[in-house]
Amino acid sequence: MILSRARLRGKAAPVPAPAVPQGTELPRHVAIIMDGNGRWAARRKLPRLAGHKAGADAVRRVARAARDMGLECLTLYAFSSENWKRPEQEIADLTALLKHFIANDLDEFHANNVRLRVIGDYHAFEPSAVEMVERALAKTAANDGSTMVIALNYGSQNELARATQALARRVASGELRPEEITTDAIAAELDTADLPPLDLLIRTSGEQRLSNFLLWQVAYAELYFTEKLWPDFDAEALAEACKVFAGRQRRYGGL
Ligand code: IPE
Ligand code: IPE
Ligand code: MG
């Protein structure tokens, strides 16, 4: 796989990002735990909302960079199932930023043949946000240039519990035998079922934990932690992470 993969697909020829040398092995699927908005704001003596706004700017920047670089799939952890523990006002601010993103930026991604996907149960958000997400999903459903996945009210343990329940129901109904619950059968029930395998997981802000993100999918992903706070993350930082990825030797247990 080379940098010009997206161009080979014959859709909306991307402009290669300058910082990744031609011929570099690109990850197919990159996921990012976008962390550090609050600390970015605190360092500037600004309210946390200012950090989230700067974080939303980073989402735009990085999503564009991923698209231009020719990444097949970018998954962004926007709101975890544990983030409901935050103050009501912060949750309202984050929901408003999501709506703002869909209202203002979706058209650009749609015009560039990007398909939007959501993982997690987004129905827990306020009805106007749910409606906007649904319209965005429907509008971009047929796009096949690249995929942008937003994790909303996502928790990996809950995702695995839901998948297990679905399999149990199929066994109970006689449609599936217990021994047919293979790793492939489990993967097929996850929210990520139709996405390419996860190659690279990035977490910003210096924290080195997964915070209930893609626990199954991360099995053989490469992990990349950076001290950079999410609002400071940009095309250059994404290219650097991809460069480090290209230098990794993936053995999958073999030699
Ligand atoms: C990430 O930034 C955004 C979300 C989790 C929604 P944080 O809000 O977690 O920022 P810190 O960790 O407090 O700096
Ligand atoms: C993880 O960040 C969730 C998102 C980036 C959406 P958190 O800031 O919520 O994670 P913890 O609480 O530090 O583990
Ligand atoms: Mg955080």
Side-chain angles (χ1 to χ4, degrees), residues 122-141:
Y122 61 88
H123 296 97
F125 288 91
E126 59 176 60
S128 63
V130 172
E131 199 186 302
M132 286 181 80
V133 167
E134 267 164 6
R135 263 190 280 132
L137 292 173
K139 183 172 180 170
T140 63

Side-chain angles (χ1 to χ4, degrees), residues 33-35 77-80 83 86 203 209 211:
I33 302 176
M34 310 183 287
D35 199 9
Y77 204 7
F79 195 93
S80 78
N83 287 146
R86 296 193 180 198
R203 182 166 189 153
R209 57 174 168 264
S211 300

Side-chain angles (χ1 to χ4, degrees), residues 15-86:
V15 182
V20 181
Q22 286 287 335
T24 296
E25 182 90 13
L26 263 190
R28 290 180 68 193
H29 185 176
V30 176
I32 309 182
I33 302 176
M34 310 183 287
D35 199 9
N37 293 352
R39 278 162 283 170
W40 184 93
R43 281 180 198 175
R44 289 164 178 75
K45 301 203 177 349
L46 293 170
R48 290 179 60 83
L49 174 57
H52 291 314
K53 282 185 176 161
D57 291 339
V59 167
R60 278 178 208 104
R61 244 182 357 244
V62 172
R64 272 188 204 123
R67 188 190 69 206
D68 294 347
M69 209 184 254
L71 285 190
E72 200 174 321
C73 185
L74 176 71
T75 297
L76 300 173
Y77 204 7
F79 195 93
S80 78
S81 52
E82 286 71 34
N83 287 146
W84 297 108
K85 292 176 190 161
R86 296 193 180 198

Side-chain angles (χ1 to χ4, degrees), residues 95-116:
T95 308
L97 285 170
L98 168 70
K99 287 165 66 176
H100 192 265
F101 178 80
I102 295 175
N104 290 276
D105 298 278
L106 189 78
D107 282 350
E108 179 197 324
F109 288 98
H110 181 51
N112 281 280
N113 201 20
V114 177
R115 176 178 67 133
L116 182 76

